[in-house]
Amino acid sequence: MNTQSICALNSQAVFNQQVANHDFMVVLFTASWCDPCQVFAPVFTEVAAQTPSVLFATADVDVATDLAANFQVTQVPALMVIRERVVIDMMHGAMLAHELQHHLHMWQALDMAAINAHFAQRVSAS
């Protein structure tokens, strides 16, 4: 089993660096005082270990306050998914391992060329 470590994001700057270096990231916004976050953390770690092609990261909203504010995270746990520098999903609440794996498969199946083309059209139209 892969024992990939989970990256800790403690600021917007660290987040920006990781996004620049990874095409696929799943970020868990969490807090030490959040009971559902503590229940979900081992599930997140387990799925991360099974998915070495994706960077899994955590951001404590009480530490990475700039990052949480930038993405308007008002509820934890929250998952933010980034592919090729585009936020493709934001979900709230804990889930079971099979649910997270199901979402990972959906996120991996997205046609990023079509998504990037869509945003390119919107930018050129404005």
Side-chain angles (χ1 to χ4, degrees), residues 1-3 24-25 35-36 39 49 52 62 65-66 70 75 85-86 96 105 112 116 122:
M1 183 163 106
N2 186 330
T3 57
F24 195 158
M25 274 178 65
D35 289 337
V39 171
D62 295 322
T65 53
D66 56 345
N70 185 38
Q75 180 181 338
R85 298 177 183 82
V86 176
L96 300 173
H105 292 302
M112 290 309 295
N116 289 325
R122 289 188 61 187

Side-chain angles (χ1 to χ4, degrees), residues 41-102:
V43 171
F44 188 75
T45 302
E46 173 190 336
V47 174
Q50 297 168 357
T51 320
S53 61
V54 177
L55 176 67
F56 284 75
T58 58
D60 186 315
V61 296
D62 295 322
V63 175
T65 53
D66 56 345
L67 183 60
N70 185 38
F71 289 105
Q72 301 174 349
V73 176
T74 58
Q75 180 181 338
V76 290
L79 281 179
M80 182 171 64
V81 184
I82 303 109
R83 282 201 48 206
E84 298 175 23
R85 298 177 183 82
V86 176
V87 176
I88 58 170
D89 206 351
M90 183 72 125
M91 304 175 65
H92 295 96
M95 60 184 80
L96 300 173
H98 75 274
E99 294 171 313
L100 180 53
Q101 289 165 337
H102 173 75

Side-chain angles (χ1 to χ4, degrees), residues 27 29 65 84 107:
V27 178
F29 287 93
T65 53
E84 298 175 23
W107 296 323

